[in-house]
């Protein structure tokens, strides 16, 4: 079933009982009309049930007599009813003289109209089909005949008046009731009253876009008159601003409606007219008539609502002061009714019915409204209405708006604003308006500002539109500005504003360089800060200043001097005099405290940069090199691996991590034979380097001397390890092949590890202590490394970590499960963290303690898992009956360090 939406909309009609000259209506009532054709010898008899829910009769008889006769004769041979076949329906429309009915039905349903009419009467027809069936007979006499609700009496004798009666028949074809009577004079159709007061409506919104909206008043019906709709004819206005003759079939005249037009149902507009008369007419004497002063025609709903409160919408044009109290007393539905009456129209010509004569923007057209009867005969038309066709559709809203800072004049920045150029199909953007504000405005504001908005033409190419705001001066630096763009077309339509994008231009002139000074504040008896920078605690060593930094007595600090434009100072430091690393920002008005605790005994290059309020950085100040000699011990070296180089000479090789060579003076290695924390005397076995340190408690080649003080002193020529000659090699980078004899110390820069080779007199069951020494001459902390001389096989070429100095995170949630079974122990755990995925699948190593041993032993080589297996397992087959075993599993980190422990470890007695 084909449905024409325009058809449904145009035929929504309410028939008012007062329009027909009937007495008090009964429960059911049928209206009968007879209309003579003006140019053919025929009369159409049409009947319709206008009251009652059920159509009582399905077939009818038509009786006729001449007005001078007293008896009727039956016109139809068979009962008149809806035609049952497509062939019969087609015959109705294709009979001679019925081309107008055929053209209209095909316009609605297409070429298959006959089957569509049958389907619309079937049991499966929807509501739209039923509505069409109800309205089609009034608008197409062929449809009235095909549906059994009309009869075309032809031929008739011109000038003769005929009287017709319509009778309802029962299921057997017997007449049951006369439903109505009508008369018509052949060749003389009833007069059709002209439409009144046609005028154009401008709703000022998209309903009026490229269209003409027309309304008119309906004349009071004369006796016997039956108007079923209207046709609207159009012609171009003449150059002298007058309208040409407009009538059917004249050159240059186009019929603008596909289907006859019915007046809209009254509904809200009727209520709105009443409310307007009582509430608004005193101020708007012109009503909605555009030719009268004080009219309200063309008001949009948005404008109407905004105008209720002029205090909230100061930019809205106000023709009069509104009676706010009266308007506020109305409900929203009543206000909407007034609006609907103001903008009421009955037909919208958008050019769709005249594809060969489309409407053109900016052109004025003349329209005449012709009433018509059942046979399509026109009555007289009122004076034409002239309508201007407007392009009211705004272009697309600019999107992807962005701001960018660009230098201007070498002194400050300005804002470059850009957005995507409108290139969508059908978009008619001719240019843009760019607005600037100092705060994000409310919706609808601002529409203008001094010198804004800027008019920008639509570029012919490129993906983006760009505008540089060169009106910003150096004095605007640091201020926040907001920009938005909107598009406009040649007709003056404007899109909504885009999103607002912020921009903060800056001053780009760098502030002056900082003047860096160092100080040491010693609190005197009165609590005043006394600068001790020149006393004996400040000494020169190798060209560097050495600060004895005792936080309790003399906190060291730096001072950043800058100009009046300096807002903050940023501290920079490096450990080699190059590539300074930025640190915190400080207030230049106060001394800058130095967090030197992690940097004790390390030479540091300190520098400053000034920062102005625009965020510009000044140049780096002249560096100030300082060494802090503190009373804090250095962190302990971390032993990674101990291996035997030569068991006969007790020569071992130790890999460990510590501070970098440019921050240390040496290392001390000693041993002990028990786990007591205090060792007296300390058994030193190696120290690096003697040319930096003197006065140790004992010489490794001599017996211990308890009387010798346990301290170190700096030699006059002390230098950091990276500056010492004779180290293997001179660059302090470990060579590819390490010597297998003699002692040495080198630094593996790639792994971040030291390699120390030294003789320890024995290679089993000892505890090693390794401590670092810095500029304070004070020995740092050490962590005991319990070593039993065990080393992994050659196949386990991996840094092994045992004894008490594990480096791992706390035990994870993935616990280790240990299950003994028949001389073996099965260990299971989950591959946490990172599972078994690719490069994250780092190796695992299994360790155990046997019996009451206090040392861990590595029992597995490093092994990994694959992506299909996240449940890990290991079987220990080296089990001795009667002993208990304790296990733990370590996972290696990305640098080869052990970083995760799986456990907690469990004691298992096989």
């Amino acid at each position: 079933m084909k449905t024409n939406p325009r058809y449904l909309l145009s035929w929504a009609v309410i028939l008012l009982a007062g329009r027909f000259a009937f007495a008090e209506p009964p429960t059911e009532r049928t209206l009968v009309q007879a209309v003579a054709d003006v140019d053919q010898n025929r009369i159409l008899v049409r009947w319709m049930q206008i009251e009652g829910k059920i159509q009582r009769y399905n077939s009818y008889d038509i009786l006729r007599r001449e007005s001078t006769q007293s008896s009727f004769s039956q016109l139809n041979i068979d009962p008149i009813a809806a035609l049952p076949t497509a062939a019969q329906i087609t015959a109705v429309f294709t009979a001679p003289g019925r081309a107008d009915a055929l053209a209209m039905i095909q316009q609605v349903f297409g070429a298959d109209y006959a089957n569509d009419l049958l389907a619309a009467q079937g049991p499966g027809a929807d509501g739209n089909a039923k509505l069409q069936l109800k309205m089609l007979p009034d608008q197409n006499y062929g449809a009235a005949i095909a549906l059994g609700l009309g009869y075309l009496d032809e031929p008739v004798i011109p000038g003769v008046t005929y009287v017709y009666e319509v009778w309802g028949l029962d299921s057997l074809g017997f007449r049951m009731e006369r439903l109505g009577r009508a008369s018509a004079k052949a060749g003389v159709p009833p007069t059709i009253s002209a439409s009144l007061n046609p005028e154009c409506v401008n709703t000022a919104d998209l309903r009026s876009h490229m269209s003409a909206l027309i309304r008119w008043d309906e004349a009071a019906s004369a006796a016997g008159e039956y108007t079923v709709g209207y046709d609207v004819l159009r012609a171009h206005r003449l150059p002298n601003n007058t309208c040409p003759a407009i009538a059917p079939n004249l050159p240059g005249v186009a019929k603008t409606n596909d289907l006859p037009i019915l007046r809209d149902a009254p509904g809200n507009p009727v209520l709105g007219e009443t409310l307007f008369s009582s509430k608004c007419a005193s101020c708007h004497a012109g009503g909605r008539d555009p030719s009268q002063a004080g009219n309200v025609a063309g008001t949009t709903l948005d404008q109407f609502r905004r105008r209720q409160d002029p205090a909230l919408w100061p930019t809205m044009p106000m023709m009069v002061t509104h009676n706010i109290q009266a308007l506020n007393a109305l409900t929203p539905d009543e206000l909407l009714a007034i609006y609907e009456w103001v903008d009421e129209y009955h037909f919208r010509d958008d050019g769709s019915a005249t594809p060969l004569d489309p409407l053109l923007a900016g052109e004025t057209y003349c329209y005449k409204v012709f009433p018509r009867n059942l046979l399509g005969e026109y009555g007289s038309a009122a004076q034409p209405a002239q309508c201007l066709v407007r392009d009211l559709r705004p272009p697309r809203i600019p999107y992807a708006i962005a701001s960018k800072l660009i230098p201007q004049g070498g002194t400050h920045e300005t804002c470059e604003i850009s957005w995507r150029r409108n290139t969508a199909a059908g978009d008619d953007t001719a240019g843009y308006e760019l607005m600037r504000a100092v705060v994000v405005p409310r919706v609808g504001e601002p529409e203008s500002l001094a010198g804004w908005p800027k008019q920008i033409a639509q570029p012919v190419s490129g993906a983006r539109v760009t505008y540089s705001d060169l009106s910003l001066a150096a004095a605007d630096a640091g201020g926040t500005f907001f920009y938005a763009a909107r598009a406009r077309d040649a007709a003056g339509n404007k899109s909504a504003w885009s999103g607002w994008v912020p921009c903060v231009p800056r001053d780009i002139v760098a502030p002056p360089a900082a003047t860096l000074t160092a100080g040491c504040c010693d609190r005197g008896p009165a609590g005043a800060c006394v600068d001790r920078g020149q006393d004996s605690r400040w000494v020169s060593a190798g060209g560097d200043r050495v600060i004895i930094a005792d936080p309790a007595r003399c906190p060291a600090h730096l001072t950043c001097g800058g100009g009046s434009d300096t807002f903050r100072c940023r501290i920079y430091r490096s450990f080699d005099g190059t590539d300074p690393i930025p640190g915190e920002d400080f207030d230049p008005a106060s001394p800058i405290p130095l967090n030197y605790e992690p940097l004790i005994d390390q030479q540091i290059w300190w520098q400053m940069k000034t920062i102005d309020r625009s965020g510009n950085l000044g140049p780096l100040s002249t560096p100030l090199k300082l060494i802090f000699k503190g009373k804090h011990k250095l962190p302990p070296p971390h032993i990674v691996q101990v291996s035997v180089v030569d068991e006969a000479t007790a020569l071992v090789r130790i890999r460990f991590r510590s501070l970098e060579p440019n921050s240390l003076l040496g290392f001390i290695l000693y041993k002990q034979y028990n786990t007591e924390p205090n060792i007296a005397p300390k058994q030193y076995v190696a120290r690096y380097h003697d040319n930096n340190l003197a006065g140790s408690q004992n010489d490794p080649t001599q017996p211990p001397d308890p009387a010798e003080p346990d301290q170190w002193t700096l030699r006059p020529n002390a230098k950091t390890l990276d500056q010492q000659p004779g180290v293997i090699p001179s660059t302090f980078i470990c060579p590819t092949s390490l010597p297998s004899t003699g002692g040495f110390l080198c630094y593996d820069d790639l792994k971040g590890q030291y390699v120390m080779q030294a003789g320890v007199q024995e290679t089993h069951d000892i505890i090693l202590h390794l401590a670092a020494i810095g500029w304070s001459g004070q020995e740092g902390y050490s962590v005991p490394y319990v070593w039993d001389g065990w080393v992994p096989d050659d196949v386990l070429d991996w840094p092994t970590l045992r004894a008490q100095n594990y480096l791992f995170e706390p035990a994870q949630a993935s616990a280790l499960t240990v299950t003994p079974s028949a001389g073996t122990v099965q260990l299971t755990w989950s591959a946490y963290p990172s599972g078994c995925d690719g490069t994250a699948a780092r190796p695992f190593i299994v360790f155990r303690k046997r019996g009451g041993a206090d040392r861990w032993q590595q029992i597995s080589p490093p092994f990994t898992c694959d992506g299909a297996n996240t449940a890990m397992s290991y079987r220990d087959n080296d089990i001795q009956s009667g002993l208990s075993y304790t296990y733990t599993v370590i996972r290696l980190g990305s640098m080869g360090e052990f970083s995760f422990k799986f456990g907690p470890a469990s004691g298992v007695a096989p």
Side-chain angles (χ1 to χ4, degrees), residues 154 165 314 323 411 596 797 801:
E154 55 183 354
E165 287 184 350
N323 186 343
T411 59
Y596 54 84
D797 187 16
L801 195 66

Side-chain angles (χ1 to χ4, degrees), residues 601 629-630 665 693 711-714 773-780:
D601 298 339
K629 290 180 60 177
L665 297 182
L693 306 171
Q711 65 181 14
W712 299 94
T713 60
L714 300 181
I773 296 180
W775 283 94
S776 64
Q778 187 176 19
E779 181 181 312

Side-chain angles (χ1 to χ4, degrees), residues 393-398 422 427-431 486-489 493-496:
R393 176 167 290 136
R396 187 179 185 184
I397 300 174
N422 282 355
D427 187 89
D428 60 349
T429 297
R486 66 183 177 190
R488 54 176 171 76
D489 59 19
N493 299 305
K494 298 175 181 178
S495 73

Side-chain angles (χ1 to χ4, degrees), residues 511-517 557-571 584-593 608-613 616:
T515 302
L516 184 61
T517 57
H557 61 268
L558 300 177
T559 302
C560 170
S564 59
D565 193 30
T566 300
F567 173 65
R568 302 284 285 179
C569 285
R570 181 171 297 168
I571 195 167
E584 297 181 72
D585 295 346
F586 297 93
D587 183 355
S590 304
I592 300 170
M608 290 282 186
K609 280 187 178 182
T610 53
I611 309 174
D612 64 15
R613 294 186 179 274
N616 299 305

Side-chain angles (χ1 to χ4, degrees), residues 468-624:
S468 296
D469 187 2
L470 301 181
S471 64
L472 294 175
D476 296 316
T480 302
F481 299 90
F482 299 91
Y483 294 85
R486 66 183 177 190
R488 54 176 171 76
D489 59 19
N493 299 305
K494 298 175 181 178
S495 73
W497 290 106
S498 69
W500 291 85
V501 60
C503 182
V504 183
R506 302 175 303 173
D507 167 20
I508 57 177
V509 177
T515 302
L516 184 61
T517 57
C520 174
C521 178
D522 189 8
R523 297 291 177 179
C529 180
V530 180
D531 185 7
R532 302 292 186 180
Q534 302 302 322
D535 67 14
S536 58
R537 289 175 299 170
W538 293 66
V539 297
S540 176
D544 300 323
R545 300 187 69 181
V546 179
I547 299 179
I548 304 173
D550 183 353
R553 185 173 65 89
C554 184
H557 61 268
L558 300 177
T559 302
C560 170
S564 59
D565 193 30
T566 300
F567 173 65
R568 302 284 285 179
C569 285
R570 181 171 297 168
I571 195 167
Y572 289 75
R573 66 186 180 189
S574 75
F575 302 105
D576 56 3
T578 62
D579 191 23
I581 300 171
E584 297 181 72
D585 295 346
F586 297 93
D587 183 355
S590 304
I592 300 170
L594 298 179
N595 181 14
Y596 54 84
E597 289 186 10
L599 309 169
I600 296 170
D601 298 339
Q602 185 164 349
Q603 182 174 260
I604 306 170
W605 280 255
W606 298 87
Q607 293 175 274
M608 290 282 186
K609 280 187 178 182
T610 53
I611 309 174
D612 64 15
R613 294 186 179 274
S614 291
N616 299 305
L617 295 173
L620 278 168
S621 66
T622 302
L624 184 61

Side-chain angles (χ1 to χ4, degrees), residues 20-31:
F20 307 104
F22 281 90
E24 186 69 22
T27 304
E28 297 177 4
R29 186 167 58 178
T30 300
L31 173 69

